[in-house]
Amino acid sequence: MRLFVAILLPATVRQQLLKAVEALREQGNGNFTKERNLHLTLAFLGQTPNLRAAVRAVHQVQEAALELQFEGVGAFGDLIWAGVKKTPELMALQRQVSMRLREAGFVLETRPFQPHLTLCRKFRPNGNAVSYKPVERVLSGLISPVSKISLMESVREQGQLVYREQFFEPLQ
């Protein structure tokens, strides 16, 4: 199983993020994220047969509910993302998720956590330059409540990437 821990978003927030995706689509081509796949990854476990250990680790996370505040747009090469503010609450949640998973024996990435939601992979602009201004306008002031974290499985179905929730843990 290919697993990761994520924050899933309410439909109203995903619909707003789709407007950001559309603002990018008007400027180029690429693999644009589908509404059902919009999420914030807290930790990526990768391929593992150990679903039970991952469930136990996620179940041990005890943090308060919080809000995600969207800010900025950026890129990792040809991957375009919507930024999420590094609030103390979000960073504490991510640290605890990582700590619990490492205690359970999972090997996680060591690079610093950069909270973001992928809007497009393999983006190719129509012209020479891309303007993030239309995307930033859509994201401006967007806030999402977070009341749970989810252990997700990533699978391919008929050539499409699909994320399935395997377990969730409510936040207090």
Side-chain angles (χ1 to χ4, degrees):
M1 302 182 87
R2 187 170 184 212
L3 301 176
F4 62 96
V5 178
I7 293 173
L8 303 182
L9 306 166
T12 54
V13 174
R14 289 193 319 267
Q15 289 165 3
Q16 198 65 17
L17 287 165
L18 268 186
K19 292 178 184 177
V21 169
E22 288 307 313
L24 275 176
R25 191 184 302 269
E26 291 172 4
Q27 300 184 63
N29 298 301
N31 296 335
F32 296 96
T33 304
K34 294 182 178 8
E35 179 185 0
R36 70 177 184 256
N37 288 348
L38 288 165
H39 68 277
L40 172 67
T41 300
L42 295 171
F44 182 73
L45 287 72
Q47 282 296 132
T48 178
N50 207 342
L51 177 63
R52 285 185 185 169
V55 167
R56 280 192 304 273
V58 171
H59 180 62
Q60 291 175 354
V61 172
Q62 295 184 359
E63 286 290 333
L66 56 108
E67 290 183 332
L68 294 182
Q69 300 170 31
F70 293 85
E71 64 176 14
V73 179
F76 301 130
D78 61 1
L79 183 146
I80 310 294
W81 48 262
V84 176
K85 186 174 183 179
K86 290 183 178 182
T87 62
E89 298 84 3
L90 175 59
M91 299 309 285
L93 174 62
Q94 192 278 332
R95 279 191 304 273
Q96 189 174 155
V97 166
S98 293
M99 178 186 72
R100 297 297 183 193
L101 290 167
R102 284 186 177 105
E103 289 172 351
F106 292 97
V107 177
L108 305 179
E109 293 180 331
T110 57
R111 65 182 167 187
F113 178 59
Q114 174 65 44
H116 67 279
L117 283 90
T118 300
L119 300 175
C120 183
R121 288 179 173 83
K122 299 181 182 176
F123 184 75
R124 295 172 308 285
N126 291 333
N128 292 335
V130 175
S131 173
Y132 291 149
K133 295 281 186 218
V135 180
E136 289 170 346
R137 278 194 291 277
V138 171
L139 298 176
S140 179
L142 183 60
I143 294 174
S144 179
V146 178
S147 59
K148 70 175 186 172
I149 56 173
S150 300
L151 179 62
M152 304 295 293
E153 178 185 14
S154 173
V155 297
R156 287 236 174 238
E157 289 181 352
Q158 300 174 347
Q160 298 290 315
L161 190 58
V162 177
Y163 301 140
R164 292 190 189 129
E165 187 178 59
Q166 296 296 317
F167 175 78
F168 73 87
E169 181 65 25
L171 299 176
Q172 304 160 347

mmCIF file of all heavy atoms in Angstrom, residues 138-157:
data_model
loop_
_atom_site.group_PDB
_atom_site.id
_atom_site.type_symbol
_atom_site.label_atom_id
_atom_site.label_comp_id
_atom_site.label_asym_id
_atom_site.label_seq_id
_atom_site.Cartn_x
_atom_site.Cartn_y
_atom_site.Cartn_z
ATOM 1 N N VAL A 138 -7.874 34.363 -5.891
ATOM 2 C CA VAL A 138 -8.834 33.320 -5.497
ATOM 3 C C VAL A 138 -8.535 32.827 -4.081
ATOM 4 O O VAL A 138 -9.442 32.599 -3.286
ATOM 5 C CB VAL A 138 -8.794 32.135 -6.496
ATOM 6 C CG1 VAL A 138 -9.616 30.962 -5.981
ATOM 7 C CG2 VAL A 138 -9.288 32.565 -7.863
ATOM 8 N N LEU A 139 -7.250 32.697 -3.742
ATOM 9 C CA LEU A 139 -6.848 32.147 -2.442
ATOM 10 C C LEU A 139 -6.914 33.174 -1.309
ATOM 11 O O LEU A 139 -6.954 32.793 -0.136
ATOM 12 C CB LEU A 139 -5.429 31.591 -2.523
ATOM 13 C CG LEU A 139 -5.206 30.431 -3.488
ATOM 14 C CD1 LEU A 139 -3.735 30.060 -3.535
ATOM 15 C CD2 LEU A 139 -6.062 29.238 -3.118
ATOM 16 N N SER A 140 -6.915 34.448 -1.660
ATOM 17 C CA SER A 140 -6.876 35.515 -0.664
ATOM 18 C C SER A 140 -8.013 35.376 0.358
ATOM 19 O O SER A 140 -9.186 35.343 -0.007
ATOM 20 C CB SER A 140 -6.966 36.873 -1.354
ATOM 21 O OG SER A 140 -6.961 37.893 -0.403
ATOM 22 N N GLY A 141 -7.647 35.258 1.615
ATOM 23 C CA GLY A 141 -8.634 35.164 2.693
ATOM 24 C C GLY A 141 -9.266 33.793 2.866
ATOM 25 O O GLY A 141 -10.119 33.602 3.731
ATOM 26 N N LEU A 142 -8.855 32.806 2.078
ATOM 27 C CA LEU A 142 -9.438 31.462 2.174
ATOM 28 C C LEU A 142 -8.933 30.765 3.435
ATOM 29 O O LEU A 142 -7.734 30.682 3.678
ATOM 30 C CB LEU A 142 -9.085 30.635 0.932
ATOM 31 C CG LEU A 142 -9.682 29.229 0.845
ATOM 32 C CD1 LEU A 142 -11.207 29.274 0.859
ATOM 33 C CD2 LEU A 142 -9.184 28.529 -0.419
ATOM 34 N N ILE A 143 -9.874 30.291 4.237
ATOM 35 C CA ILE A 143 -9.573 29.585 5.492
ATOM 36 C C ILE A 143 -10.369 28.287 5.504
ATOM 37 O O ILE A 143 -11.527 28.256 5.077
ATOM 38 C CB ILE A 143 -9.940 30.462 6.714
ATOM 39 C CG1 ILE A 143 -9.036 31.698 6.748
ATOM 40 C CG2 ILE A 143 -9.839 29.682 8.014
ATOM 41 C CD1 ILE A 143 -9.393 32.702 7.825
ATOM 42 N N SER A 144 -9.761 27.228 6.002
ATOM 43 C CA SER A 144 -10.441 25.936 6.084
ATOM 44 C C SER A 144 -10.375 25.390 7.499
ATOM 45 O O SER A 144 -9.297 25.318 8.091
ATOM 46 C CB SER A 144 -9.776 24.929 5.139
ATOM 47 O OG SER A 144 -10.430 23.666 5.239
ATOM 48 N N PRO A 145 -11.523 24.985 8.051
ATOM 49 C CA PRO A 145 -11.496 24.317 9.358
ATOM 50 C C PRO A 145 -10.890 22.927 9.219
ATOM 51 O O PRO A 145 -11.022 22.282 8.187
ATOM 52 C CB PRO A 145 -12.975 24.232 9.737
ATOM 53 C CG PRO A 145 -13.704 24.233 8.435
ATOM 54 C CD PRO A 145 -12.867 25.059 7.488
ATOM 55 N N VAL A 146 -10.204 22.484 10.273
ATOM 56 C CA VAL A 146 -9.603 21.146 10.296
ATOM 57 C C VAL A 146 -10.033 20.479 11.593
ATOM 58 O O VAL A 146 -9.679 20.933 12.676
ATOM 59 C CB VAL A 146 -8.061 21.219 10.226
ATOM 60 C CG1 VAL A 146 -7.464 19.821 10.312
ATOM 61 C CG2 VAL A 146 -7.605 21.950 8.975
ATOM 62 N N SER A 147 -10.780 19.399 11.482
ATOM 63 C CA SER A 147 -11.268 18.701 12.672
ATOM 64 C C SER A 147 -10.804 17.252 12.742
ATOM 65 O O SER A 147 -11.140 16.537 13.678
ATOM 66 C CB SER A 147 -12.798 18.746 12.714
ATOM 67 O OG SER A 147 -13.330 18.139 11.551
ATOM 68 N N LYS A 148 -10.039 16.810 11.723
ATOM 69 C CA LYS A 148 -9.532 15.436 11.731
ATOM 70 C C LYS A 148 -8.311 15.346 10.830
ATOM 71 O O LYS A 148 -8.071 16.220 9.991
ATOM 72 C CB LYS A 148 -10.600 14.453 11.249
ATOM 73 C CG LYS A 148 -10.923 14.573 9.761
ATOM 74 C CD LYS A 148 -11.892 13.499 9.309
ATOM 75 C CE LYS A 148 -12.071 13.554 7.784
ATOM 76 N NZ LYS A 148 -12.845 12.429 7.264
ATOM 77 N N ILE A 149 -7.538 14.282 11.016
ATOM 78 C CA ILE A 149 -6.472 13.918 10.094
ATOM 79 C C ILE A 149 -6.802 12.539 9.538
ATOM 80 O O ILE A 149 -7.468 11.734 10.202
ATOM 81 C CB ILE A 149 -5.087 13.936 10.767
ATOM 82 C CG1 ILE A 149 -5.040 13.033 12.001
ATOM 83 C CG2 ILE A 149 -4.689 15.363 11.108
ATOM 84 C CD1 ILE A 149 -3.641 12.879 12.598
ATOM 85 N N SER A 150 -6.340 12.281 8.329
ATOM 86 C CA SER A 150 -6.718 11.045 7.640
ATOM 87 C C SER A 150 -5.501 10.287 7.154
ATOM 88 O O SER A 150 -4.557 10.878 6.623
ATOM 89 C CB SER A 150 -7.611 11.374 6.441
ATOM 90 O OG SER A 150 -8.784 12.045 6.856
ATOM 91 N N LEU A 151 -5.536 8.979 7.334
ATOM 92 C CA LEU A 151 -4.549 8.080 6.756
ATOM 93 C C LEU A 151 -5.099 7.673 5.392
ATOM 94 O O LEU A 151 -6.181 7.087 5.306
ATOM 95 C CB LEU A 151 -4.331 6.857 7.643
ATOM 96 C CG LEU A 151 -3.331 5.825 7.135
ATOM 97 C CD1 LEU A 151 -1.938 6.432 7.005
ATOM 98 C CD2 LEU A 151 -3.308 4.614 8.059
ATOM 99 N N MET A 152 -4.354 8.019 4.339
ATOM 100 C CA MET A 152 -4.846 7.837 2.983
ATOM 101 C C MET A 152 -4.020 6.806 2.230
ATOM 102 O O MET A 152 -2.810 6.677 2.451
ATOM 103 C CB MET A 152 -4.770 9.170 2.229
ATOM 104 C CG MET A 152 -5.493 10.320 2.897
ATOM 105 S SD MET A 152 -7.277 10.101 2.991
ATOM 106 C CE MET A 152 -7.720 10.170 1.258
ATOM 107 N N GLU A 153 -4.686 6.116 1.323
ATOM 108 C CA GLU A 153 -4.010 5.212 0.396
ATOM 109 C C GLU A 153 -4.095 5.821 -0.996
ATOM 110 O O GLU A 153 -5.146 6.308 -1.405
ATOM 111 C CB GLU A 153 -4.680 3.836 0.397
ATOM 112 C CG GLU A 153 -4.042 2.875 -0.591
ATOM 113 C CD GLU A 153 -4.768 1.544 -0.697
ATOM 114 O OE1 GLU A 153 -5.908 1.437 -0.227
ATOM 115 O OE2 GLU A 153 -4.172 0.623 -1.283
ATOM 116 N N SER A 154 -2.994 5.783 -1.710
ATOM 117 C CA SER A 154 -2.928 6.291 -3.077
ATOM 118 C C SER A 154 -2.921 5.093 -4.029
ATOM 119 O O SER A 154 -2.061 4.218 -3.923
ATOM 120 C CB SER A 154 -1.648 7.115 -3.255
ATOM 121 O OG SER A 154 -1.476 7.484 -4.592
ATOM 122 N N VAL A 155 -3.897 5.054 -4.939
ATOM 123 C CA VAL A 155 -4.000 3.956 -5.908
ATOM 124 C C VAL A 155 -4.284 4.525 -7.293
ATOM 125 O O VAL A 155 -4.718 5.663 -7.436
ATOM 126 C CB VAL A 155 -5.106 2.942 -5.523
ATOM 127 C CG1 VAL A 155 -4.813 2.263 -4.205
ATOM 128 C CG2 VAL A 155 -6.471 3.609 -5.480
ATOM 129 N N ARG A 156 -4.043 3.703 -8.289
ATOM 130 C CA ARG A 156 -4.404 4.054 -9.675
ATOM 131 C C ARG A 156 -5.584 3.184 -10.079
ATOM 132 O O ARG A 156 -5.539 1.969 -9.944
ATOM 133 C CB ARG A 156 -3.239 3.810 -10.613
ATOM 134 C CG ARG A 156 -2.154 4.822 -10.442
ATOM 135 C CD ARG A 156 -1.853 5.511 -11.761
ATOM 136 N NE ARG A 156 -0.908 6.575 -11.540
ATOM 137 C CZ ARG A 156 -1.143 7.833 -11.848
ATOM 138 N NH1 ARG A 156 -2.271 8.179 -12.401
ATOM 139 N NH2 ARG A 156 -0.236 8.750 -11.627
ATOM 140 N N GLU A 157 -6.628 3.848 -10.556
ATOM 141 C CA GLU A 157 -7.804 3.143 -11.068
ATOM 142 C C GLU A 157 -8.070 3.657 -12.470
ATOM 143 O O GLU A 157 -8.300 4.859 -12.649
ATOM 144 C CB GLU A 157 -9.027 3.401 -10.180
ATOM 145 C CG GLU A 157 -8.959 2.732 -8.836
ATOM 146 C CD GLU A 157 -10.195 2.992 -7.984
ATOM 147 O OE1 GLU A 157 -11.048 3.812 -8.373
ATOM 148 O OE2 GLU A 157 -10.284 2.369 -6.912
#
